[in-house]
Amino acid sequence: MNFSPLPSVDAASVPADALVLDVREDDEWAAGHVEGALHVPMSDFVARFGEVTDAVAERGRAYVMCRVGGRSAQVTQYLVQQGFDAVNVDGGMLAWDGAGRPMVTGNGSPAFVL
């Protein structure tokens, strides 16, 4: 079998207008997330797969993110196997925050990575 390396980028390289797919759970998302990101928890991913593929078809490459990069790597691998343009964001939201990239919350409280 031929396993190609998982496509990945560092958080600082994600374009400002990119389709960010956040696969963290609801409590993690509520604490802080990338503005405009598509939130599909990994636990809901299969049920909401059509929503994800529609977004990728409309907006192009998906930058998949979780807290540190483990769950997003699994989702990225699955999307790539299905023929979609997806890349894993190395280090996830911790790296995003560490790179000084902006985060928001739904209620206006200070954003943080849970």
Side-chain angles (χ1 to χ4, degrees):
M1 290 179 119
N2 180 11
F3 290 102
S4 57
L6 188 69
S8 62
V9 297
D10 61 277
S13 302
V14 177
D17 61 348
L19 167 60
V20 174
L21 173 61
D22 190 325
V23 298
R24 298 174 303 149
E25 296 304 314
D26 291 339
D27 58 337
E28 295 173 287
W29 168 267
H33 56 268
V34 177
E35 188 168 12
L38 174 60
H39 180 222
V40 180
M42 191 168 168
S43 55
D44 295 342
F45 188 76
V46 173
R48 295 176 60 190
F49 186 65
E51 192 179 330
V52 173
T53 59
D54 288 351
V56 174
E58 180 183 321
R59 295 185 53 194
R61 170 174 288 166
Y63 291 82
V64 188
M65 190 168 336
C66 64
R67 183 172 186 267
V68 293
R71 289 170 287 178
S72 57
Q74 294 176 51
V75 170
T76 300
Q77 185 172 30
Y78 181 76
L79 285 168
V80 169
Q81 286 172 342
Q82 305 303 313
F84 292 96
D85 185 2
V87 294
N88 189 40
V89 178
D90 278 337
M93 285 298 296
L94 288 176
W96 183 273
D97 189 31
R101 302 291 303 262
M103 296 188 302
V104 297
T105 63
N107 61 10
S109 61
F112 66 97
V113 179
L114 182 63

